[in-house]
Amino acid sequence: MNRVLELGSYILPAYAGMILSEQGYEVTKWVNPNEKEDPVLNLHRGEELWSWINHRKKIVQAHAHDITNVPSGEFDMVIDNFRVGAWKKWEVDPENESRRLGVPWVSMRDEFDERSFDAVAQARSTMEHAPYQPYYLGDTAGGLWLAYKILALAHQGFTGHHILRQASCLTKLIEGELVVPANRDNGEPAWDTPGEYGRYGDGIRVLYRGEQVLEPTREHSWKMKNLHHDGNGRIII
C-alpha cells in the first residue's frame, strides 16, 4: 500500500504528496497538459518552490478526468483538492471511482465546496489570530492533515471517498478556543499569563519558570548548522 496518486494544483496537495514521498511512498503527480503551468510557478521564485515541493515524485502529463481510465490496482490511494464543481464538469464522481479502484481517496475542500478554500481557511483561523503570516501555513498545515488522513485510512484498510475541510483542519490547531470561551487580553495568547511572551529586538522574549529567555531570529546559516537536514537544506523528519 505505497502508491499514491496526487491530483490537484497549488501547494496543499503537493505538500501532502511531498510528505508522503519523503516517508518512502511512491507518489505520482498528474499535471494537466491543457494548462500552461501550475499556479505555483507563477509565484515569485515559483520554480524553486515547485522543485522543492515536488521532490522525488513521478510527474505525469494527464488530466484529472483520466482517472476513469485507470485500472484497479494501479494506485493504492488518491489525494486531491479540486472543487466539487470541477469534478461535476468532468463528469467524475470520486465516490464511485474510489470504490471502483478499491482505494481510500481523500479530498481537501473548503467548508462550502465551491468558495476558495484557502481564502476561507486563512480568514477563519490563521488570519484571525496571527495576521499576515509570512508563509503558506494554510497550505502546509492542510497538507499535513491530508497526508495523515490518507495514511490512517489505508492503515485501517478503509476504502471509499473521504472529505476534509481546510478551515476546520486549520482551526483544529487551536480547537481549545472553540470548546472553552477564552478572552484575549490586549491580543495576548488566550491560555498564557499576559506578558509571558513579547518582542525582543528582532526576536522574542519568553518567561519560562520565572526565567527570561531571549530567542533571536535565526539566520539561514544557523538553520543549516543546527537543523537535521540532508546537507542541501532539505529538512529530514
Side-chain angles (χ1 to χ4, degrees):
M1 299 279 292
N2 63 354
R3 296 166 300 174
V4 182
L5 175 59
E6 176 197 312
L7 304 174
S9 64
Y10 210 52
I11 297 172
L12 195 152
Y15 191 84
M18 182 190 74
I19 294 297
L20 294 170
S21 177
E22 287 183 339
Q23 303 309 313
Y25 285 77
E26 181 182 301
V27 179
T28 299
K29 179 186 184 72
W30 280 8
V31 177
N32 186 355
N34 300 323
E35 292 185 356
K36 183 177 180 181
E37 56 190 12
D38 189 289
V40 168
L41 293 170
N42 292 322
L43 297 174
H44 179 60
R45 301 180 65 173
E47 291 185 359
E48 295 170 274
L49 179 56
W50 169 272
S51 176
W52 170 71
I53 210 167
N54 292 303
H55 179 62
R56 294 177 56 182
K57 297 178 187 176
K58 180 181 179 181
I59 308 298
V60 174
Q61 295 287 322
H63 192 285
H65 62 53
D66 294 334
I67 188 70
T68 57
N69 299 321
V70 171
S72 176
E74 185 166 334
F75 296 105
D76 300 309
M77 54 192 82
V78 181
I79 57 175
D80 85 277
N81 72 328
F82 285 121
R83 295 177 296 108
V84 170
W87 286 118
K88 288 183 177 179
K89 180 177 67 175
W90 301 326
E91 299 182 338
V92 176
D93 184 343
E95 177 66 37
N96 290 339
E97 290 303 311
S98 64
R99 298 200 180 281
R100 180 183 68 82
L101 296 170
V103 301
W105 179 327
V106 180
S107 297
M108 178 67 78
R109 297 175 180 168
D110 92 294
E111 268 57 18
F112 309 103
D113 286 330
E114 291 301 323
R115 198 179 305 177
S116 171
F117 64 86
D118 186 60
V120 173
Q122 296 286 359
R124 285 191 169 187
S125 52
T126 310
M127 295 299 288
E128 177 184 353
H129 301 291
Y132 310 111
Q133 298 278 11
Y135 42 81
Y136 289 98
L137 182 62
D139 294 279
T140 54
L144 284 172
W145 280 112
L146 187 57
Y148 169 78
K149 181 70 173 181
I150 197 69
L151 291 180
L153 291 169
H155 177 71
Q156 298 175 82
F158 290 136
T159 60
H161 186 224
H162 304 262
I163 299 172
L164 291 179
R165 305 294 183 178
Q166 192 185 8
S168 297
C169 286
L170 275 167
T171 306
K172 179 71 173 180
L173 299 176
I174 52 172
E175 185 179 17
E177 295 193 22
L178 296 179
V179 179
V180 182
N183 295 324
R184 288 174 172 268
D185 300 319
N186 299 318
E188 294 276 358
W191 308 115
D192 298 293
T193 303
E196 191 160 345
Y197 295 90
R199 282 185 172 277
Y200 172 75
D202 292 331
I204 61 171
R205 172 188 53 79
V206 180
L207 296 179
Y208 180 70
R209 295 182 178 179
E211 179 183 354
Q212 180 172 263
V213 179
L214 305 179
E215 181 68 15
T217 299
R218 299 300 185 180
E219 300 294 340
H220 185 70
S221 59
W222 183 93
K223 298 173 186 177
M224 289 292 289
K225 178 181 178 181
N226 293 280
L227 297 184
H228 185 206
H229 61 91
D230 62 2
N232 297 313
R234 181 172 289 274
I235 297 175
I236 303 172
I237 301 299

